Amino acid sequence: MDRAGFRVTTIVLRPKKIRRVAWACAIGLVGVFTVVGLLLGNTPTGVIFRTSDQVAMIVLGFLLAGGVLLLTRPRVTADASGVDVRNVVTSHHFDWQDVLSVSFPDGAAWARLELPEDEYVSVMAVQAVDREYAVSSVRALRELHKAARN
């Protein structure tokens, strides 16, 4: 509840499908690079792999897995005052008064916030592959936007 006694609605949106896929890929990468790293010492090719090479291979697997897990980072947090958009690398905060609309263009991979002067910010937390979740997420964001602009 806010000071006036009205219920404050906050929504938090995160992508669904990409999170499962990214975690599976990350676990697979760590597993494969660990096995390869452990097997490097037993090669009949005449190449000499040291323990440091094996450790480097395993560390490389963890680094690649960390890169894949960056795809799980997108999140949107929105309430009556504004919206916070966190994508893979960047984060933005917008007051609803600065947002013209919430859109999901045909053929787009994710939703976006339309801003003044023909600018927009992609909302990677709302992805087309999540289908019904994406539709309900865009509707929820539009309702908060509409309520804040009135």
Side-chain angles (χ1 to χ4, degrees), residues 13-128:
L13 307 170
R14 298 187 69 127
K16 300 288 184 190
K17 187 177 272 188
I18 192 70
R19 292 175 75 202
R20 291 190 301 266
V21 171
W23 274 103
C25 288
I27 291 168
L29 281 168
V30 169
V32 166
F33 276 79
T34 299
V35 168
V36 169
L38 294 175
L39 296 178
L40 274 180
N42 301 326
T43 60
T45 61
V47 178
I48 299 171
F49 291 104
R50 295 192 162 80
T51 304
S52 62
D53 299 320
Q54 293 174 299
V55 171
M57 186 63 72
I58 295 169
V59 169
L60 181 61
F62 277 98
L63 290 174
L64 289 173
V68 168
L69 288 177
L70 282 175
L71 297 174
T72 66
R73 191 171 185 269
R75 181 180 73 199
V76 171
T77 306
D79 58 21
S81 65
V83 58
D84 292 310
V85 177
R86 183 176 75 184
N87 289 328
V88 173
V89 179
T90 61
S91 294
H92 303 280
H93 172 79
F94 299 99
D95 292 329
W96 284 121
Q97 302 305 320
D98 298 332
V99 177
L100 299 177
S101 66
V102 178
S103 66
F104 208 127
D106 288 339
W110 42 74
R112 64 190 197 183
L113 300 178
E114 303 290 340
L115 304 172
E117 298 181 18
D118 292 329
E119 292 185 23
Y120 66 88
V121 171
S122 297
V123 180
M124 296 178 76
V126 182
Q127 299 185 357

Side-chain angles (χ1 to χ4, degrees), residues 128-146:
V129 295
D130 290 332
R131 300 184 188 261
E132 287 303 316
Y133 177 74
V135 171
S136 63
S137 297
V138 168
R139 285 183 181 151
L141 287 171
R142 285 177 177 164
E143 287 175 17
L144 279 174
H145 180 252
K146 182 180 176 182

